[in-house]
Amino acid sequence: MFPFAALSSEESAADLLEQVRWRDGLQCPRCRSSSVIKYGSYRAFQRYLCKDCDRTFNDKTRTIFAHAKIALNEWLFAIYTFVRFNTSIRQLTAELDLSYKTLHRRVERFAKALDAPSIELCGPVEIDELYVSAGLKGRERDGPSRSRGLSTRGRGTYEGDKPPVFTLVDRESGKRYVIPAKSADESTVRLLLAGREKEPLTVYTDGFRAYDPLDDDERFHRESVIHANNEYVDGDAHVNTCESHGSLVRPWLSPHRGVSKDKLTHYLRAFQLRRQIYRKSGREALRHVLRKVL
């Protein structure tokens, strides 16, 4: 359900922001003191005075929403529809009657505020890789645009504007991770698997050569399936969950008509956030999104 009540006005959006931000108690965002009193208002937002540092603040102070010229309910509408429904920024400009530049900056600022996922692996773990088209969108080019420059099939490279994206699935905890990388090699694989809680860690892979060194490492127990031999499941060994989760990445990027590889990380963090709110109600999903950026 869409959270109509929370986004109907700036006052209702301000009430939601206040509830989420101070859910653990009101404190000064500068000195962290809890000696705070109400001190008037600023537009639709409650204003406060800190008795320790003698400075005032409101519910937006030191958040990504501070000093914004657009109404908070419009910004939350853009964030919610971007994450929940994968709405393109061009479509949002039509819905909100705001300029593309304004909305692009707000959505980009939101995506940058999302924390990088902390990879914690209990095991067993599936790991797989896919390659997405992400080029030089938004950069100044020295030469003319390339004709179908991103249409090469198969494995790619970061330098070739087709960076690898690794998907990891922890079967014990059920957590899923989507991590972009600059190369699909042994060092990247070891870095992704470094957050293991116990050894040896059982790792299920396909036949990609970057996973081969795990066979000789006593810290890992690798089981693989060779797709080239039409082998996709061998007992517990498969990467079907990774492939299923990874198959959603390209449709997520598609409405944005090309993503810069410099900003691919931000778009994939928003993708992971979308999976977290997948089965939440509209208001609870919006509260969850707010908690992630505050």
Side-chain angles (χ1 to χ4, degrees), residues 10 24 59 65 70 129-130 178 190 216 260 277:
E10 188 166 33
D24 296 325
D59 296 323
F65 308 110
I70 67 174
E129 77 290 337
L130 69 150
V178 180
R190 291 187 180 277
D216 302 323
S260 169
I277 65 173

Side-chain angles (χ1 to χ4, degrees), residues 47-184:
R47 198 162 172 242
Y48 308 95
L49 172 67
C50 176
K51 291 185 176 181
D52 287 347
C53 66
D54 201 32
R55 300 184 69 177
T56 62
F57 62 95
N58 59 63
D59 296 323
K60 298 197 300 181
T61 302
R62 294 203 172 184
T63 70
I64 64 171
F65 308 110
H67 311 299
K69 294 182 179 180
I70 67 174
L72 179 63
N73 59 314
E74 292 181 333
W75 196 348
L76 292 183
F77 175 88
I79 289 175
Y80 182 81
T81 53
F82 171 71
V83 175
R84 185 78 159 192
F85 307 114
N86 196 19
T87 307
S88 68
I89 298 176
R90 190 69 67 184
Q91 179 63 37
L92 288 173
T93 62
E95 297 292 340
L96 296 174
D97 195 24
L98 295 171
S99 70
Y100 180 89
K101 187 176 182 179
T102 297
L103 276 175
H104 183 268
R105 284 179 175 176
R106 300 307 171 192
V107 172
E108 189 176 86
R109 191 174 181 186
F110 156 73
K112 285 183 177 179
L114 296 175
D115 291 333
S118 177
I119 302 178
E120 299 175 354
L121 303 176
C122 302
V125 174
E126 293 180 30
I127 182 170
D128 195 25
E129 77 290 337
L130 69 150
Y131 299 82
V132 299
S133 296
L136 306 177
K137 184 178 180 180
R139 292 191 192 178
E140 294 293 334
R141 295 187 177 91
D142 296 330
S145 299
R146 297 165 296 172
S147 175
R148 298 180 64 83
L150 302 176
S151 61
T152 305
R153 294 177 61 85
R155 300 189 188 277
T157 62
Y158 184 87
E159 293 74 16
D161 295 344
K162 201 168 184 181
V165 175
F166 284 87
T167 55
L168 291 89
V169 175
D170 191 320
R171 292 187 182 178
E172 182 171 321
S173 65
K175 293 182 178 179
R176 303 178 181 187
Y177 306 92
V178 180
I179 311 294
K182 288 193 173 182
S183 60

